[in-house]
Amino acid sequence: VSVLKGPREEIVYVPCIYRNTGRKKPDFLATVDVNPQSPRYCQVIHRLAMPNLGDELHHSGWNACSSCFGDATKKRNRLILPSLISSRIYVVDVGTDLRAPRLFKVVNPEDVFWKCNLGYPHTSHCLGSGEIMISTLGDPAGSGKGGFILLDGETFEIKGNWEKGDKVPPMGYDFWYQPRHNVLISTEWGIPKCLGYGFDPNDLKKGRYGRRLNVWDWTTHTYVQAIDVGEDAAPLEIRFLHNPDAAEGFVGCTISSAIHRFYKTERGDWAAEKVIQVPSKKVEGWLLPEMPGFITDILISLDDRFLYFSNWLHGDIRQYDISNTRQPKLVGQVFVGGSIAKGGPVTVCGDEELQSQPDPFFIKGKRVPGGPQMIQLSLDGKRLYVTTSLYSAWDRQFYPDLPRDGSVMLQLDVDTVQGGLTVNRSFLVDFGKEPDGPCLAHEIRYPGGDCTSDIWV
């Protein structure tokens, strides 16, 4: 895979959120210097503020990626930023000046609502056709609906819906596609108007959180199969192996804290099997008597050798060897925050994995609020970047000090030979020190593509 030989990352783009922090400021796209040779190492070197308040920037994607790389006219020069709550879609020009992105276009929420009958846009991927496809969590009223918005790759106008036919999944979230297997698979978080204000345990057992992987026919754009991964599992991030011939991948289920391997069967349909289960901990002093790990982000290294994921509540990041995809082997683990640290409000009474509660996590003298959440791996697989915010309304609820103190970005060093993770103690980006006040930093993207944006066809 050619991108493995790509240059070392020098800057990264990170959406930073002010919604639900009490500060009436617009969200912004931060450019962060991650070059250890630079005098501005670990500093935000540019901020592109959005023109509106309360967007909740969340994930981002490229206007062009590996699926168009046979086409010399296509350049990865626009970053697509859907707003999870306002349903606006921003198109950012990163081609003119990589280090100082500028706003190129705004797609208004009314266009999303009227042209597609969708809202709450989440994941953006570019297609080989040159179009851009964005998954959604719901309809304009905040009910669940797993549809897709298509943008023109030149004008960034909304072309309409990708999906065809009468059948649409009850919820949406993330997606990945593999044209060689004529498939797209999407996931389900929950019903936007329920989860949008926070996590209510009363919503469990009522069908308000997702439980399916939804399989689509890539050619006809029709919904063909649902794979059940369990009630209230909330399957979030889905990743096929990067090898475009591979007919398998992994999905992280948040509330059930399990990793399922999905795969194509001999019959030609798709199935899933649980390959990792993070045991819940019995606790006192928390929302519920059992605390799940809360797997929020997962990724696969570009060589398809390692799987990484974060447990946002327990506070650990894990590395698994997936040479045998059916039997992942834990080879690295490090705690960087979380809800079960010693001396906090939560007492762990029963734990299948740990002998004692982990120590609070400090770096450069700062106690890190929140837990590990979004992750991104360097192209050579040696550096794992981590941010600590999940979604502003849930941050405020699970980690009240997170909106107050701001989130951080950390970096872990990876042993790519034996496996193993260690915190790089000289790396800290503290979003608590922003000029407009502490903010919540979310997903991490490299100029030129990364482990979670690129689909090879």
Side-chain angles (χ1 to χ4, degrees):
V1 176
S2 57
V3 74
L4 279 167
K5 298 186 177 64
R8 180 185 166 124
E9 66 287 351
E10 293 185 10
I11 55 171
V12 297
Y13 301 125
V14 186
C16 293
I17 290 85
Y18 275 116
R19 185 174 166 268
N20 278 319
T21 63
R23 287 172 275 281
K24 294 275 178 275
K25 297 287 178 182
D27 299 347
F28 65 96
L29 181 68
T31 307
V32 183
D33 189 324
V34 295
N35 175 4
Q37 266 59 63
S38 163
R40 302 194 67 187
Y41 183 48
C42 290
Q43 289 177 26
V44 178
I45 58 170
H46 185 267
R47 298 168 184 87
L48 174 66
M50 296 302 128
N52 301 283
L53 292 174
D55 283 314
E56 190 91 32
L57 298 181
H58 199 62
H59 286 222
S60 60
W62 293 106
N63 61 321
C65 67
S66 308
S67 56
C68 330
F69 270 3
D71 182 345
T73 65
K74 297 275 188 275
K75 291 197 168 49
R76 215 177 300 221
N77 60 354
R78 303 283 182 266
L79 192 61
I80 314 301
L81 283 169
S83 305
L84 189 59
I85 295 301
S86 69
S87 298
R88 269 186 205 91
I89 301 166
Y90 294 106
V91 181
V92 172
D93 169 9
V94 297
T96 307
D97 183 348
L98 271 181
R99 292 171 173 266
R102 53 192 77 179
L103 194 57
F104 183 75
K105 185 183 171 72
V106 182
V107 178
N108 288 319
E110 304 83 86
D111 288 344
V112 176
F113 300 154
W114 288 107
K115 291 183 181 173
C116 301
N117 192 28
L118 293 171
Y120 307 90
H122 187 269
T123 299
S124 171
H125 279 299
C126 52
L127 309 184
S129 61
E131 295 163 311
I132 292 143
M133 180 165 165
I134 304 171
S135 59
T136 66
L137 269 63
D139 68 9
S143 301
K145 186 179 183 186
F148 303 91
I149 301 159
L150 269 185
L151 295 187
D152 183 283
E154 302 291 325
T155 64
F156 303 100
E157 295 290 331
I158 292 188
K159 296 177 80 166
N161 300 60
W162 177 84
E163 68 277 9
K164 296 184 167 58
D166 304 326
K167 281 176 35 190
V168 182
M171 301 174 207
Y173 183 75
D174 193 24
F175 72 101
W176 199 277
Y177 61 86
Q178 285 289 42
R180 292 188 194 184
H181 298 288
N182 191 36
V183 70
L184 178 150
I185 305 182
S186 59
T187 59
E188 304 184 333
W189 182 9
I191 293 172
K193 65 185 174 192
C194 298
L195 64 86
Y197 298 98
F199 176 74
D200 182 351
N202 296 321
D203 286 336
L204 299 174
K205 311 283 181 232
K206 290 183 183 168
R208 292 173 182 170
Y209 281 95
R211 63 182 299 165
R212 283 163 294 263
L213 310 184
N214 295 304
V215 183
W216 301 76
D217 182 299
W218 180 244
T219 311
T220 63
H221 304 191
T222 52
Y223 178 38
V224 291
Q225 188 194 344
I227 303 169
D228 193 340
V229 290
E231 183 177 45
D232 296 324
L236 294 191
E237 307 296 332
I238 184 162
R239 316 286 187 208
F240 268 89
L241 295 182
H242 293 289
N243 174 359
D245 282 328
E248 62 177 325
F250 298 93
V251 61
C253 299
T254 301
I255 300 174
S256 64
S257 299
I259 301 279
H260 291 253
R261 167 185 172 258
F262 60 88
Y263 59 96
K264 194 178 193 173
T265 71
E266 288 174 3
R267 288 191 306 280
D269 63 351
W270 293 78
E273 58 178 355
K274 182 160 73 173
V275 290
I276 300 168
Q277 176 67 61
V278 175
S280 291
K281 301 181 190 298
K282 291 188 173 52
V283 292
E284 285 171 2
W286 194 67
L287 181 69
L288 297 166
E290 297 217 340
M291 183 192 289
F294 228 69
I295 297 172
T296 45
D297 197 15
I298 74 168
L299 66 76
I300 297 171
S301 61
L302 281 175
D303 59 5
D304 288 340
R305 180 152 168 235
F306 294 114
L307 168 75
Y308 297 86
F309 65 81
S310 51
N311 284 311
W312 191 57
L313 291 177
H314 288 177
D316 57 318
I317 291 185
R318 300 185 182 205
Q319 175 191 24
Y320 285 79
D321 185 323
I322 51 168
S323 310
N324 176 351
T325 52
R326 299 195 67 183
Q327 293 181 315
K329 199 166 85 223
L330 181 63
V331 291
Q333 181 178 27
V334 64
F335 280 83
V336 288
S339 288
I340 57 162
K342 281 183 192 135
V346 176
T347 306
V348 178
C349 325
D351 194 325
E352 292 177 33
E353 294 186 316
L354 301 179
Q355 304 304 309
S356 63
Q357 294 182 226
D359 291 318
F361 180 69
F362 287 85
I363 185 163
K364 295 193 171 234
K366 179 187 170 84
R367 180 172 180 163
V368 170
Q373 211 286 100
M374 293 309 290
I375 51 179
Q376 189 57 266
L377 187 66
S378 60
L379 301 184
D380 63 7
K382 291 180 179 171
R383 291 169 300 287
L384 188 72
Y385 295 90
V386 187
T387 54
T388 51
S389 159
L390 171 62
Y391 159 63
S392 65
W394 289 30
D395 290 356
R396 188 171 65 175
Q397 177 181 1
F398 286 105
Y399 293 113
D401 48 352
L402 194 51
R404 192 184 62 234
D405 299 344
S407 64
V408 300
M409 181 160 75
L410 308 168
Q411 187 239 303
L412 310 182
D413 291 318
V414 181
D415 182 334
T416 52
V417 182
Q418 307 290 324
L421 298 172
T422 46
V423 176
N424 175 351
R425 290 277 163 190
S426 65
F427 187 103
L428 172 68
V429 184
D430 184 353
F431 291 95
K433 293 194 160 60
E434 281 303 291
D436 283 336
C439 65
L440 301 165
H442 196 63
E443 196 200 37
I444 303 153
R445 282 261 169 266
Y446 306 144
D450 46 54
C451 294
T452 56
S453 63
D454 275 39
I455 294 176
W456 283 271
V457 296

